[in-house]
C-alpha cells in the first residue's frame, strides 16, 4: 500500500458521504463522513482479500507472486510465470471474484442482523460494492478475471494457450465497446436518461478495458513470436577496440570486418563500454580522426548484458527492465559475441 492511499481514501470518502446522504437520509451529517470513511477502509480490505485469493491459489500451484497492487480502480496481483494448465488458470482467476461474492454475501447477511445505523450503512454498502466487484470481474473478457476464465476454457478446448488469450482479448474489446455504449443502451432499453456522470464513468471504464484487452492481445502476439527471437540470429557482429582508438579508425575496422557494432575493451581484453550507433553519427566526419571511441562510448552496466543463449522471454525481460538502444552480447565464456540492437529486435517482431 502506498502512502498516497490516505489522501485518495479521504477524497473518495468525501465523495461517498454525499451518496450515503442521499441513500440514508436519516443518518446525521457527521456520521455520514464516518460511515463513508469506514466503508472506504473496509472496501480496501475486501479488495485485498480478493487479490490474496488469487495470490494464494497461485502459490498453491507453486507460481510465484511478486506484487499485490491495491489501487482503488485497478487492483491487481502480479503473478510471475505462466500457468501450466487451463485448470490452474481457471482456479487462479475464478477464486478472486468468488472471494468478492462471498464477502458480499456475508456482508449482506450481516446487515440483516443490524439496526439501521452507521454500521448498517457501512455493511450494506460493502455488500453492494463486493457483489458488483464479483459480478463485473466475472465478465468474460480480458483484462477482467472472467477473461482469464474464458482463456482457460478456450485453451482447454483448442489445446492452444495463445488462441485462448486472443479469444479472451477480443471478448474484452467487445465488453469495452458495450461499456462505452452503456449509457445510450440504457436510454434505448429502459428509457433512463443518462447523466453526464454516466458518460464519464462509461468512458473511463470502457477506455480502461479497451487498453487492457489491447495490451493482452499485443502480449499474446509477442509471446507467439518469442521462440523465433534468437540472439544468435539477431546480434550484430562487433569488433573490439581500445578506448584510445580514433572513431574514424574504429569505423574503418568495423566496415572491414563487416561488423555492425563497436565494443570498447580494457587492457585485459574485458569489454566495458559500447559505442552506440547514434554516438558515432553524432561526431562530424571531419572530427572522427581526432575523437577517441573512449570519449563517445557508453559504459556497460550489468543490466545491459545479454547471454548468447538467453531465451526470447529473458531478452524481452532485459529490454523491459533496462531500456537501451544496444546491449552487449556475451558468449558462454564471457567473451564478446556481438551487440544486440533494440531496433533489430523490434524489426524481427514486425517482419514475422
Ligand atoms: Zn481479480
Amino acid at each position: 500500500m502506498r502512502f498516497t492511499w490516505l489522501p485518495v481514501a479521504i477524497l473518495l470518502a468525501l465523495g461517498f458521504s454525499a451518496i450515503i446522504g442521499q441513500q440514508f437520509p436519516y443518518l446525521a451529517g457527521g456520521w455520514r463522513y464516518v460511515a463513508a470513511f469506514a466503508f472506504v477502509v473496509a472496501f480496501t480490505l475486501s479488495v485485498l482479500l480478493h487479490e490474496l485469493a488469487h495470490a494464494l491459489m497461485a502459490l498453491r500451484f507453486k507460481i510465484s507472486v511478486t506484487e499485490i497492487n491495491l489501487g482503488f480502480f485497478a487492483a491487481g496481483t502480479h503473478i510471475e510465470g505462466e500457468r501450466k494448465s487451463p485448470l490452474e488458470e481457471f482456479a487462479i482467476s475464478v477464486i478472486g471474484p468468488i472471494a468478492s461474492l462471498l464477502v458480499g454475501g456475508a456482508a449482506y447477511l450481516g446487515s440483516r442482523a443490524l439496526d439501521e445505523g452507521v454500521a448498517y450503512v457501512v455493511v450494506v454498502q460493502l455488500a453492494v460494492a463486493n457483489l458488483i466487484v464479483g459480478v463485473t470481474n466475472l465478465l468474460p473478457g480480458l483484462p477482467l478475471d472472467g477473461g482469464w476464465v474464458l482463456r482457460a476454457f478456450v485453451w482447454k478446448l483448442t489445446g492452444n494457450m495463445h488462441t485462448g488469450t486472443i479469444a479472451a482479448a477480443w471478448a474484452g474489446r467487445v465488453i469495452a465497446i458495450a461499456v462505452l455504449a452503456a449509457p445510450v443502451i440504457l436510454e434505448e432499453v429502459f428509457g433512463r436518461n443518462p447523466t453526464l456522470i454516466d458518460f464519464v464513468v462509461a468512458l473511463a471504464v470502457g477506455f480502461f478495458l479497451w487498453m487492457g484487452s489491447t495490451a493482452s492481445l499485443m502480449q499474446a502476439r509477442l509471446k507467439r513470436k518469442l521462440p523465433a527471437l534468437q540472439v544468435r540470429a539477431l546480434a550484430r557482429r562487433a569488433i573490439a577496440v581500445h578506448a584510445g582508438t580514433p572513431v574514424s579508425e574504429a569505423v574503418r575496422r568495423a566496415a572491414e570486418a563487416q561488423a555492425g557494432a563497436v565494443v570498447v575493451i580494457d587492457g585485459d581484453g574485458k569489454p566495458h563500454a559500447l559505442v552506440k550507433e547514434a554516438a558515432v553519427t553524432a561526431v562530424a566526419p571531419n572530427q572522427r580522426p581526432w575523437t577517441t571511441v573512449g570519449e563517445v562510448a557508453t559504459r556497460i552496466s550489468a543490466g545491459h548484458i545479454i547471454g548468447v543463449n538467453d531465451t526470447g522471454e529473458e531478452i524481452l525481460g532485459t529490454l523491459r527492465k533496462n531500456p537501451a538502444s544496444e546491449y552487449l552480447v556475451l558468449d558462454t565464456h564471457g567473451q564478446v559475441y556481438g551487440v544486440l540492437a533494440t531496433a533489430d529486435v523490434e524489426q524481427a517482431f514486425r517482419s514475422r
Side-chain angles (χ1 to χ4, degrees):
M1 214 179 289
R2 298 194 202 100
F3 68 93
T4 52
W5 185 85
L6 190 63
V8 178
I10 290 174
L11 271 179
L12 278 182
L14 283 177
F16 204 69
S17 59
I19 297 176
I20 287 185
Q22 276 174 11
Q23 289 182 345
F24 305 93
Y26 56 82
L27 210 59
W31 285 113
R32 288 176 192 170
Y33 295 107
V34 175
F37 192 74
F39 164 75
V40 170
V41 172
F43 181 62
T44 304
L45 290 177
S46 65
V47 171
L48 179 62
L49 268 177
H50 172 117
E51 298 304 334
L52 272 180
H54 285 308
L56 290 176
M57 189 59 91
L59 290 177
R60 214 189 89 83
F61 293 120
K62 304 203 167 30
I63 300 174
S64 60
V65 175
T66 46
E67 185 186 355
I68 291 184
N69 183 9
L70 274 189
F72 278 102
F73 306 107
T77 302
H78 193 81
I79 294 171
E80 262 319 274
E82 284 288 335
R83 287 69 157 174
K84 292 176 285 293
S85 73
L87 182 70
E88 287 187 13
E89 177 88 276
F90 173 78
I92 294 171
S93 312
V94 84
I95 196 74
I98 288 179
S100 293
L101 292 177
L102 286 178
V103 171
Y108 172 72
L109 290 180
S111 73
R112 298 179 57 171
L114 289 167
D115 293 328
E116 291 192 344
V118 175
Y120 171 81
V121 169
V122 173
V123 173
V124 166
Q125 296 296 315
L126 191 65
V128 172
N130 272 284
L131 293 176
I132 291 176
V133 167
V135 170
T136 52
N137 267 293
L138 280 175
L139 290 175
L142 289 174
L144 300 169
D145 290 330
W148 295 102
V149 171
L150 176 64
R151 179 178 116 120
F153 278 117
V154 178
W155 179 4
K156 176 80 185 166
L157 282 176
T158 62
N160 188 326
M161 182 175 70
H162 296 303
T163 311
T165 314
I166 288 168
W170 275 104
R173 286 183 156 185
V174 172
I175 291 173
I177 292 170
V179 169
L180 285 172
V184 182
I185 296 172
L186 285 179
E187 189 179 19
E188 293 296 322
V189 181
F190 300 104
R192 178 178 174 275
N193 278 335
T195 64
L196 180 63
I197 291 180
D198 290 337
F199 280 109
V200 171
V201 170
L203 194 67
V205 175
F207 182 73
F208 165 77
L209 289 175
W210 181 270
M211 296 306 282
S213 56
T214 302
S216 306
L217 207 56
M218 309 262 274
Q219 231 163 37
R221 287 183 183 149
L222 205 75
K223 285 208 168 144
R224 197 176 252 183
K225 288 173 176 173
L226 277 184
L229 186 57
Q230 283 173 350
V231 183
R232 281 176 203 278
L234 291 177
R236 297 179 181 182
R237 195 192 309 196
I239 56 159
V241 297
H242 290 286
T245 314
V247 170
S248 56
E249 173 66 8
V251 170
R252 190 191 64 77
R253 277 197 235 167
E256 199 177 79
Q258 293 187 314
V262 176
V263 175
V264 183
I265 50 171
D266 60 18
D268 304 325
K270 283 219 176 66
H272 68 101
L274 269 183
V275 182
K276 298 193 171 164
E277 218 173 359
V280 173
T281 332
V283 183
N286 61 353
Q287 291 301 315
R288 288 181 189 172
W290 321 107
T291 312
T292 65
V293 291
E295 291 170 63
V296 296
T298 313
R299 280 202 75 82
I300 300 163
S301 62
H304 295 126
I305 295 174
I306 285 176
V308 72
N309 289 325
D310 280 6
T311 63
E313 201 131 347
E314 286 168 332
I315 297 169
L316 286 193
T318 306
L319 263 61
R320 210 176 302 135
K321 259 182 253 160
N322 307 294
S325 58
E326 279 124 319
Y327 298 81
L328 175 69
V329 180
L330 296 180
D331 66 14
T332 46
H333 306 290
Q335 300 293 315
V336 176
Y337 180 89
V339 167
L340 185 68
T342 307
D344 292 346
V345 175
E346 285 166 357
Q347 178 67 36
F349 271 119
R350 268 198 299 270
S351 62
R352 258 171 229 121

Coordinates of all heavy atoms in Angstrom, one line a residue, residues 50-51 54 75-77 92-93 95-97 100 137 144-145, ligand 1:
H50 N -9.7 -10.2 -2.1 CA -9.9 -10.7 -3.5 C -8.5 -11.0 -4.1 O -8.3 -12.1 -4.7 CB -10.6 -9.6 -4.3 CG -10.7 -9.8 -5.7 ND1 -11.9 -10.0 -6.4 CD2 -9.8 -9.9 -6.7 CE1 -11.7 -10.1 -7.7 NE2 -10.4 -10.1 -7.9
E51 N -7.6 -10.1 -3.9 CA -6.3 -10.2 -4.5 C -5.5 -11.4 -3.8 O -4.8 -12.1 -4.4 CB -5.5 -8.9 -4.4 CG -6.1 -7.8 -5.2 CD -6.3 -8.1 -6.7 OE1 -5.6 -9.0 -7.2 OE2 -7.2 -7.5 -7.3
H54 N -6.4 -14.7 -5.2 CA -5.7 -15.0 -6.4 C -4.2 -15.5 -6.1 O -3.8 -16.5 -6.6 CB -5.5 -13.8 -7.3 CG -6.7 -13.3 -8.0 ND1 -7.4 -14.2 -8.9 CD2 -7.3 -12.1 -8.2 CE1 -8.4 -13.5 -9.4 NE2 -8.4 -12.2 -9.0
A75 N -7.0 -2.7 -9.0 CA -6.2 -3.5 -8.1 C -5.7 -4.7 -8.9 O -6.3 -5.0 -9.9 CB -7.0 -4.0 -6.9
G76 N -4.6 -5.3 -8.6 CA -4.1 -6.4 -9.3 C -3.1 -7.2 -8.6 O -2.4 -6.6 -7.7
T77 N -3.0 -8.4 -8.9 CA -1.9 -9.3 -8.4 C -1.0 -9.6 -9.5 O -1.4 -10.0 -10.5 CB -2.6 -10.5 -7.8 OG1 -3.5 -10.2 -6.8 CG2 -1.5 -11.4 -7.1
I92 N -7.0 -20.0 -10.5 CA -6.4 -18.8 -10.0 C -7.3 -17.6 -10.4 O -7.4 -16.7 -9.6 CB -5.0 -18.6 -10.7 CG1 -4.0 -19.7 -10.2 CG2 -4.4 -17.2 -10.3 CD1 -2.7 -19.7 -10.9
S93 N -7.9 -17.6 -11.5 CA -8.7 -16.5 -12.0 C -10.1 -16.4 -11.3 O -10.5 -15.3 -10.9 CB -8.9 -16.5 -13.5 OG -7.7 -16.8 -14.1
I95 N -11.1 -17.6 -8.4 CA -11.1 -17.5 -7.0 C -11.3 -16.1 -6.5 O -11.9 -15.9 -5.4 CB -9.9 -18.2 -6.4 CG1 -10.1 -18.5 -4.9 CG2 -8.6 -17.4 -6.5 CD1 -11.1 -19.7 -4.6
G96 N -10.8 -15.1 -7.2 CA -10.9 -13.7 -6.8 C -12.3 -13.3 -6.7 O -12.8 -12.8 -5.7
P97 N -13.0 -13.4 -7.9 CA -14.5 -13.0 -7.9 C -15.3 -13.8 -6.8 O -16.2 -13.2 -6.2 CB -14.9 -13.3 -9.3 CG -13.7 -13.2 -10.1 CD -12.6 -13.6 -9.2
S100 N -14.9 -12.2 -3.6 CA -15.7 -10.9 -3.5 C -17.2 -11.3 -3.3 O -17.8 -10.6 -2.5 CB -15.5 -10.1 -4.8 OG -14.2 -9.6 -4.9
N137 N -16.2 -8.6 -12.4 CA -15.0 -9.2 -12.7 C -15.1 -10.6 -13.4 O -14.2 -11.1 -13.9 CB -14.1 -9.4 -11.4 CG -13.2 -8.2 -11.2 OD1 -12.2 -8.1 -12.0 ND2 -13.4 -7.4 -10.2
L144 N -10.3 -8.5 -17.4 CA -11.0 -8.9 -16.2 C -10.8 -10.4 -15.9 O -10.3 -11.2 -16.7 CB -12.6 -8.8 -16.5 CG -13.0 -7.3 -16.8 CD1 -14.4 -7.3 -17.3 CD2 -12.8 -6.4 -15.5
D145 N -11.0 -10.8 -14.6 CA -10.8 -12.2 -14.2 C -11.5 -13.1 -15.1 O -11.0 -14.2 -15.4 CB -11.2 -12.3 -12.7 CG -10.3 -11.6 -11.8 OD1 -9.1 -11.5 -12.1 OD2 -10.7 -11.2 -10.7
Ligands
LIG1 ZN1 -9.3 -10.5 -9.6

